[in-house]
Amino acid sequence: MKKVLFLLLFFATRIVFAQSLNDYKYAIVPSKFEFLKEKDQYRLNTLTKLLMEKYGFVTYFDSDVLPNELADSNCNKVYVDVKSNSNLFVTKMTVVLKDCKNLVLFTSTDGKSREKELLVAYNQALREAFNSFDKLNYKYSSNVNSSVNNNGNDKSNIKSPNVNSNQTLFAKPLGANLFQLLTNDTDIPNLVLTIAKTNNPLIFIVEEAMRQGVVYKNNNEWIFDYYENEKLISEKLNIVNFN
């Protein structure tokens, strides 16, 4: 089972990462990309910042003075990078978004240009790469926010309660690929887990700061498997509106 859980987490990584962008309000753009010789050469860094803002992110340069809400934690924002894989004939650019742990959250398709003038070619290729963001349907969700405690360790402001097998839950769609599992027997529904679709309709990946695992259907029962202190924990879920 341990091997199965690992494989499920591995193959579902791209789905979870893409969706988790909605948890980030802010974006940081470097003042200089590695493939350039100067800061904001060809105005590429400025263009990147403007395009990130176009798609809904509150965006700053890494050289800006940051507001306290943004500066207090490295994990409440995405870090933007632009890669160049150009040759003599084609200018190619890719946009990469990473989190504070250097994990890739999103990689755009290659933007391409055959213009010889670099200023024009870089501009065209970058804009084309950003067209990939159209499919993300990014919209900031405040369900998960990161902050820093007094010891400097990252923690989640919202902690999902322990799963109670006797408690009924209902699944609320959250975008195209996500569901929130909420308590169904309380006056005010409480968030228990956020899960993401996989290619198998009976298997979902749990997207949560405190626990990572899978929710799957076995013998007409929904099971939540996750690791705690390197020990595999299995908990039954009573989800009322899942087939």
Side-chain angles (χ1 to χ4, degrees), residues 34-94:
E34 288 187 3
F35 65 93
L36 297 177
K37 296 180 179 180
E38 302 174 5
K39 288 185 177 181
D40 204 15
Q41 194 171 9
Y42 305 109
R43 300 288 289 172
L44 277 184
N45 301 77
T46 295
L47 179 59
T48 300
K49 181 176 182 292
L50 292 173
L51 289 171
M52 289 296 294
E53 291 171 345
K54 170 188 173 182
Y55 285 100
F57 290 89
V58 179
T59 310
Y60 294 87
F61 286 123
D62 59 2
S63 55
D64 289 341
V65 176
L66 304 178
N68 291 337
E69 179 185 356
L70 184 57
D72 285 345
S73 173
N74 287 327
C75 292
N76 61 0
K77 46 191 171 284
V78 295
Y79 295 84
V80 187
D81 195 11
V82 174
K83 305 290 187 180
S84 176
N85 187 26
S86 306
N87 54 46
L88 291 176
F89 306 103
V90 182
T91 297
K92 296 181 182 180
M93 306 189 75
T94 307

Side-chain angles (χ1 to χ4, degrees), residues 94-181:
T94 307
V95 182
V96 179
L97 305 183
K98 295 183 179 182
D99 67 5
C100 63
K101 297 179 181 178
N102 209 34
L103 292 174
V104 175
L105 300 174
F106 173 74
T107 301
S108 74
T109 57
D110 287 341
K112 301 176 183 179
S113 175
R114 294 186 179 275
E115 291 289 336
K116 294 183 179 180
E117 175 61 42
L118 280 180
L119 178 62
V120 178
Y122 279 142
N123 189 290
Q124 286 184 351
L126 184 60
R127 289 181 181 276
E128 184 176 307
F130 263 97
N131 288 340
S132 299
F133 282 65
D134 290 331
K135 298 179 181 179
L136 284 177
N137 295 318
Y138 166 80
K139 185 177 181 181
Y140 171 62
S141 169
S142 59
N143 290 322
V144 178
N145 286 309
S146 294
S147 62
V148 175
N149 62 20
N150 293 331
N151 294 325
N153 297 318
D154 291 329
K155 65 178 182 179
S156 174
N157 286 339
I158 299 177
K159 294 184 179 179
S160 299
N162 290 329
V163 179
N164 184 342
S165 60
N166 296 320
Q167 190 170 48
T168 59
L169 308 174
F170 72 96
K172 177 184 177 182
L174 188 66
N177 296 312
L178 283 182
F179 290 90
Q180 288 182 327
L181 298 184

Side-chain angles (χ1 to χ4, degrees), residues 1 202-203 215-225 234 236-237 243:
M1 183 62 198
L202 300 181
I203 300 175
V215 170
Y216 61 95
K217 195 169 189 179
N218 182 35
N219 294 329
N220 292 320
E221 291 183 326
W222 287 102
I223 308 296
F224 172 32
D225 279 359
S234 293
K236 293 182 181 179
L237 301 180
N243 296 326

